[in-house]
Amino acid sequence: MSTVQLDALEGGVTRLRLASGRGNPLGPDTVNDLHDAVLSLSAAPPRALLVDAGDSPIFSGGFALPVIAHFERAALRSFLGTYVDVLAGVLRLPCPSVCAVNGHAMAAGFILSLATDFRVVRTGRLKLGLPEVDLGVPVPAGPQALLAARTSFQHALRLCTTAETIDGEEALRIGLADRLAPNANEAGLALARTLANKPGAGLGRSFVSRPLATRMLAEEARCHELFLDAWFSDAAQARIQAQAARLSGRK
């Protein structure tokens, strides 16, 4: 059963829904399903794309750490490469895209939301951020470049070094959110339908988004092995394995 669902909606909008279980973790199966979904969308683009997580209180908690914590270097390299390809694939779609963040979005789940053109974030108590920094692991270079493009270099630097979490209001203030709404799924769908009705369905966005995808992939290639060195350092591994055990319910 796929952990990602694609549904064609009225008005030329396709909905991509994360459905990988509690917290919508991004494990190998989900990242592969996302990759396949983006390939399908590239082959037959809709007028607009909506990404959401249904009624889940968590859009995505990020990578499935209890799984990937046990990966050897080659397996982790491949996994991260597929994930970054997903981000680039969404950026390169010839249609406008919206992410409805109706719940917490952390780590790789937060970065996934940045691949779309627009983000509609739920008002109220909600956390966005990069907590993996507290494990002693840097945010990969490609996602850092994407984050900086969506806000500013300084705001990206702050989030990538402090592990600070922000809410929707702060995300709107620094440009990471485009709109706030009590129900982000409904507001995100409304925005996607508006964009789908525009002449050309947003083809001009490729003038900006395709170069961003190229720049992100170049930064990732330049620093990927350095990231893996940091991940597999003794200090980071001690924290990663302890956190993976905690999330798995082991002491």
Side-chain angles (χ1 to χ4, degrees), residues 38-45 93:
V38 171
L39 286 178
S40 176
L41 291 166
S42 299
L93 289 174

Side-chain angles (χ1 to χ4, degrees), residues 22-43:
R22 183 178 180 183
N24 282 312
L26 303 179
D29 289 344
T30 303
V31 169
N32 287 333
D33 288 344
L34 281 168
H35 190 266
D36 291 344
V38 171
L39 286 178
S40 176
L41 291 166
S42 299

Side-chain angles (χ1 to χ4, degrees), residues 70-89:
H70 305 294
F71 280 2
E72 299 293 335
R73 189 178 182 108
L76 187 61
R77 181 189 294 113
S78 176
F79 171 76
L80 292 175
T82 303
Y83 170 74
V84 174
D85 283 346
V86 168
L87 302 178

Side-chain angles (χ1 to χ4, degrees), residues 147-246:
L147 175 58
R150 295 307 191 207
T151 174
S152 71
F153 174 86
Q154 196 62 27
H155 287 309
L157 180 64
R158 171 170 61 95
L159 294 174
C160 287
T161 56
T162 66
E164 175 184 345
T165 58
I166 62 175
D167 59 14
E169 285 72 18
E170 173 69 0
L172 182 66
R173 187 185 72 81
I174 65 176
L176 292 176
D178 297 282
R179 297 183 182 181
L180 302 181
N183 187 316
N185 291 339
E186 291 180 357
L189 177 56
L191 176 57
R193 283 176 169 157
T194 296
L195 294 170
N197 284 329
K198 295 293 182 181
L203 289 175
R205 61 177 288 283
S206 63
F207 299 156
V208 174
S209 294
R210 282 183 174 271
L212 175 56
T214 299
R215 185 165 75 251
M216 181 190 69
L217 290 171
E219 288 300 307
E220 185 63 21
R222 183 175 66 86
C223 299
H224 193 59
E225 294 304 319
L226 294 174
F227 170 83
L228 292 174
D229 289 344
W231 178 278
F232 287 105
S233 68
D234 291 342
Q237 277 296 302
R239 295 185 179 93
I240 289 167
Q241 297 304 326
Q243 178 73 344
R246 187 185 72 81

Side-chain angles (χ1 to χ4, degrees), residues 18 24 26 59-63 83 99 101 104-114 129-130 132:
L18 294 175
N24 282 312
L26 303 179
F59 173 77
S60 174
F63 290 147
Y83 170 74
C99 185
V101 185
H104 307 301
M106 307 297 284
F110 173 53
I111 295 295
L112 177 62
S113 75
L114 302 180
L130 301 165
E132 66 266 40

